[in-house]
Structures are given as structure tokens and as C-alpha cells.
Amino acid sequence: MEENKNSNEETVDKKNYGADNIQALEGLEAVRVRPAMYIGSTDGKGLHHLVYEVLDNSIDEHLAGYCTTIDVTIHTDNSITVVDDGRGIPVGMHQKLQKSALEVVMTVLHAGGKFDKDTYKVSGGLHGVGVSCVNALSNHLMATVHREGKIYTQTYAKGKPTTEVKQIGDTDKRGTTVTFRPDDTIFSELVYDFTILAKRLRELSYLNKGLRLKLTDERETDEKGVFLHEDYFSEGGLMEFVEQIDAQAGREAFTQPPVYVVGEEDGVAVEVAFQYNRSYRENIRSYVNNINTIEGGTHVNGFRRAVSHVLKKYGEAENIFTKQKVNISSEDFREGLTAIVSVKVPEPQFKGQTKGELGNSEVTSIVSACVRRVLEAYLEENPGMAKAIINKVILAAKARNAARKAREMVQRKSVLTGTGLPGKLADCSSKDPLLSEIFLVEGDSAGGTAKQGRNREFQAILPLRGKILNVEKALEYRIYENEEIKNIFTALGVRIEEKDGNRVLNIDNLRYHKIVIMCDADVDGSHIVTLILTFFFRYMQPLVANGYIYIAAPPLYQVKKGKKSKYCWDDKERDIAVKDFGTDGVGIQRYKGLGEMNAEQLWETTMDPEHRTLRRVTIEDLEGSDAVFSMLMGDEVPPRRKFIEDNAHYANVDA
Ligand code: 0RA
């Protein structure tokens, strides 16, 4: 992204690592001109990113062996303080720039100071742009350093020093304190979210076992006047992390304790923990230098390769697969596997669309070798566990074959029946997928109303009976036996095919480019939306990825007075309408379900492209979606509803 303007890079003498090793590369003005280039975005995500950026520096101190505790505080004005007990930013004179190293670190881009390849500094991805970026994007920043018995401080505004580096006292402590207030002319969102920071700090505690992290929110006090706060500390590291991920999603592991791998080769540190559970899905989370690699990469490939290789060898040696007459494919080793793969790489190369994939090819064999060694020993020492894993693999292979047969049955049948379309489908006359829409409607009666209300030129209706199958809890072949799901496949004109042993959705003959889920605006309705979304996410993900999936938004109220009437989508709108109409003689109708609207009302409010609001479903967080869907399918309604509201983005549709 930014070019390195300094061509004569100095070699770093580790022993005299101090002020002079910090290099000047580029002015901070660039950061203020194009903040998104440095921190990804200037919305809430970018706002939180500022904290991660400061944290990265403190974590580097931990990785270098100098920092044990990091405190993060959200102040009432949404400024943030990060305190660490690391070495403290050097304060001595930087010879070339004739400034204190502290000032250089804080005001010069890429002057992180750690060009020392023995520390794991991230040079790609989104983190690692340096604390100076945070300074550039803050109205105010204060840095305080405890180092060599003295306390030093300097303050800045929008990246520029407002004071000299001052020595303000003596200390017997060590470390760095950074307080910053994000620039309100740069960020569109300025309010910090406790849960977002908490999630990252918890994650960091697992990734850096032995490191103490603390989060305090001064905006929230309990009845005793104590600020809201949480502590994060993990003794077991990834072992605990992997257990927690499965437990949280309600998945029961049958390999206990988890397989735990630590190793190091050629300066690449490897830490992996994994276990098998009774679910049918693989769930791998991966990190490079504490940064989540959403698209995986060479470290994940190395892990997968080792697991398949060792288990295959074990099964073959015992002749288990031939006795069971099953053909094992590499994906059979992945069912029910939950893993965390974390590597520390001195010079990581990131690739892929979002720079979320590790590219360093040497990492594959390093991770693979470490995992092989440990897994072989684990199977040797735990024959009971080994047997349970192999049985699970055999089951996966059998289920895969059954699913293929069931799928082929469905897909063959649909070709044979006349038009090949489900009887319940009221199709539209247009055959142009670009213009055509299909409404998946909860219940036969609402389906009937939608049929009357629609514009049959381009709107098709497929009623779904009651709750559709929860695909999260069903075996795959059961899914293809389900009437509603079969109808969705055939109505949409998509099919699952196998390519190189992988299942892919063929959407070449997709019949509609808008697939609208239309359910009641109540808790049951949102549950059904979730079930359908889960199905699309697991089995028809390309439709979600291409932005073809929408959620209809029927109104909650109609406020009426005389001839005037207004539809309202929430309580606030309703109250405003009541006020506008004058409270006397106002009637409020609460729509409990789609069925309470007549065809005309349904058209006007929810189906007519001129007036409706459709929410387009996007895959914001592919990696987190697994846990999200597990959470959504759980018993708690509020988080589910909040998710649907947050993630189903409003998009006014032009068609
Ligand atoms: C440059 C060099 C060294 C440490 C740091 C920067 C440093 C930066 C931050 C930012 C937040 N906390 C930090 N802690 C340390 C190495 C110092 C040495 O060699 O003594």
C-alpha cells in the first residue's frame, strides 16, 4: 500500500537497540488524507481498529518477553487508555532526525522501531501500521513512558506534538501508557462498544497465554459505583480456546483433552489445538501473529494435510477402512473437527481478496511436521480416542455417500415431473432471472394473500409450510428428503454438483435474482427467517455471496384517522404518526402477522418495488458465521433478533 521510500535500510544491531533504529519512512499527513488505506475504514470498525493498533505494540512487548499486563480503559468521553508494563518506548535522541525516539515513534509513519526480524512484527494485513497512525487520527493523544527510573510524557493533536518530550518524575516501574481521543472529523462513529473490545481482548488472552488483559468501561458503573470491568487471562492458551469455542456453540467434544501442538522451526512458531465433536462441520480458526486469517492459508493447509495423512495412515494400518468397505475422501477427516491454528511468522506475506490469507509457502511443511509428530503420538497413547475418531471418519464417509444418493434422487426427480417446478409455486410470467423475483412466504394463507397481491409479471410466490427444517441439527441426506427444501431447490433452478470431491452449487440456471424471504414481523417469524437463512448459508452460500437473498420488511402498525393513514415499522414511527394525526380519534392497527393484511395492503407496504424496503443479506463475517448460526439456533431470542437487525442491511431496491 505505502511505498518504502527509504532504500538504504540499516541493519539493526540488536544489542544497541535504541533511538537510532527507528526509521523515518513517510509523513503522517498521508494517513489523514486517506485513513481507510491505513486502518480499513472510518466507521465503527476503524474506530475499534485504533485500539487494536495500540494493543499490537504492547503485545509485541509481551512476545519479546517484557510485558505481562495490559489495561484498556474506555473513558466517559470515549477516549481510550492502553497501559502496558513493557520496556517503554525509547526516549533517547534519534541521531538522524534530531528528535526524541518517542516523538519519532509517535509522529513518523512506520517508525514502529521494530525492524528487528527476531520479534514478530506484522507487516501485512490491517494491523501493524503503527501507533503513529492512531496519533494522526486522534484529536488528542498523550504518551507516557516509564523507563530507566524516569517518567517521560508528550502530547499531540492530530499527530503533531503540542509539547516537547518532558521528564516529569521518577518511577520504579516500566512501560508505556497511551491515551487517545479519535478525531470526530474523521470517524463517522465515535462510541466504543464494550463487547467488541471484550471479544478481542479475550481472544488475545487465549492467543498469548500468561498475558493478563483488563478492560474497564468508565461509562458504566454498578450500584456500588464500581466501573464495569472484565479480566482476561488464560493459562491453557489455545487448549482452553478450542474447548471454549465448542462449549459455547453447544458442541460436545469426544477427544479429551484436545490435541495440543507447540513447535518452532526456522523462526516460525507453531501452536495448534484441536478436538473432534459430534457435529458435522469443520471449524478452523487461524491466526498469524495474533491476527485472524479469515481466508486461512499455508498454515491451515499444513494442518489439514497432517490430520488427513496421519489418520489415513492409522486407519489403513489397521485395515479399518477396507473392513468397513468405505471410500474415504479427505473431507471425511474434517467433519466435527474444531481447531485453532496459530503461527508466529517473522515476515508474513498476506494475499487474497481481504489480505486475510497467509501466503508463505515454507509454513505449510513446518506446521504439517509439528502436527504430524504430535498426532501420531496422541493416537499411539490414546487408542480409545483414536478408535472414536476413526469411527467418526467412517460415519462421515457413509453419510457423504448417502447424501449424494439422496441429492441425485431429488435432482433427477425434478427433471422428470412435467415443468420440473413444484406444484406449490405460483411462477411469474417473466423468464428473465434479472427481472424476476421469488417470495418465500411463511404459511399457506399468507402465501395466498401474496399471490393475489403480487405483480405476476415478475413476482413468483412459493409458500413454505410452517417451520422449515433446522439444517444445523439435521444429517445432510435428511435435508434432501425435506419437502420445503426440495421445493426451494427446484423452484430456484439450482443444483449441487461434485467437483474434485467438493460440493459446489451450480447457479447457472438460477431463475430469480431476487429471492425474498417474507415472514411475520414477530418472534416466530424471525425464527423462520433464521432457519431459512441458515439453510441458504450452509447449502446455497453463493446466493448469499452474490447478494441475491433479501428479507422483506412488513409493517408493524397502521395508524389511521379519518381518511389519513400511515404504515409504521416500529414503535417510534407509530408514536410520531399518532402525534402528527392528533391523538383524538386515532386508530392503531397492530399487524401480528402477514395474514392480517389484505392483498392490497401487502402489495403496498411490502411487495411493491416503489414503496417497499428490502433488506439485503450479506456475508459480513464469514469466519464468525459458524458461531453466529449456532447462537441463532439456540434458545435465546434477544441476541438472535439483534443479529437479524444488525446484519440484514437496509437496501432500497431500485427494480
Ligand atoms: C520502539 C522500540 C521498542 C519498544 C517500543 C517501540 C514500544 C512501543 C509501544 C507502544 C505501546 N507500548 C509500547 N511498548 C514499546 C524497544 C525498546 C527497547 O529496546 O528497549
Side-chain angles (χ1 to χ4, degrees), residues 331 398-415 475-482 485-486 489-490 494-499 501-506 535 538-540:
E331 63 180 301
K398 287 183 174 167
R400 183 170 49 81
N401 288 320
R404 198 189 52 234
K405 279 186 197 134
R407 209 165 56 224
E408 281 168 0
M409 286 274 278
V410 176
Q411 296 182 342
R412 199 174 310 129
K413 238 189 245 161
S414 64
V415 178
L475 273 167
E476 191 180 348
Y477 75 89
R478 289 262 174 230
I479 288 160
Y480 305 112
E481 292 171 358
N482 180 276
I485 287 176
K486 274 199 252 183
F489 267 101
T490 47
V494 299
R495 41 192 300 139
I496 292 176
E497 292 168 357
E498 270 186 60
K499 272 204 184 102
N502 288 315
R503 276 155 280 183
V504 287
L505 188 74
N506 182 335
F535 164 70
R538 293 294 186 207
Y539 290 92
M540 296 192 175

Side-chain angles (χ1 to χ4, degrees), residues 17-18 22 54 57-58 61 84 86-90 105 112-114 131 147 176 178:
Y17 197 77
I22 294 155
V54 179
N57 292 279
S58 304
E61 286 298 289
D84 70 50
R87 282 168 293 186
I89 302 176
V105 166
K114 302 188 185 168
V131 68
R147 202 177 151 102
T176 306
V178 174

Side-chain angles (χ1 to χ4, degrees), residues 325-396:
K325 298 196 183 70
V326 281
N327 249 325
I328 306 289
S329 130
S330 65
E331 63 180 301
D332 301 328
F333 297 107
R334 302 187 198 164
E335 257 197 37
L337 174 64
T338 300
I340 320 268
V341 179
S342 170
V343 292
K344 306 264 165 65
V345 183
E347 286 182 282
Q349 253 111 50
F350 292 100
K351 48 179 209 177
Q353 278 197 325
T354 57
K355 294 270 173 235
E357 180 186 350
L358 182 66
N360 303 48
S361 58
E362 72 279 8
V363 174
T364 304
S365 58
I366 295 175
V367 173
S368 178
C370 293
V371 174
R372 263 193 217 187
R373 211 176 306 127
V374 174
L375 184 55
E376 271 164 7
Y378 182 95
L379 298 178
E380 208 64 54
E381 287 158 24
N382 302 281
M385 302 280 178
K387 208 169 157 208
I389 296 172
I390 296 294
N391 282 341
K392 170 87 181 165
V393 171
I394 290 166
L395 221 61

Side-chain angles (χ1 to χ4, degrees), residues 469-520:
L469 186 73
N470 182 352
V471 299
E472 211 55 12
K473 292 184 178 153
L475 273 167
E476 191 180 348
Y477 75 89
R478 289 262 174 230
I479 288 160
Y480 305 112
E481 292 171 358
N482 180 276
E483 269 321 302
E484 313 305 317
I485 287 176
K486 274 199 252 183
N487 284 344
I488 294 176
F489 267 101
T490 47
L492 297 185
V494 299
R495 41 192 300 139
I496 292 176
E497 292 168 357
E498 270 186 60
K499 272 204 184 102
D500 313 322
N502 288 315
R503 276 155 280 183
V504 287
L505 188 74
N506 182 335
I507 60 169
D508 295 349
N509 298 317
L510 178 65
R511 305 178 64 248
Y512 317 90
H513 279 199
K514 286 205 181 76
I515 300 157
V516 186
I517 304 168
M518 188 160 73
C519 294
D520 290 344

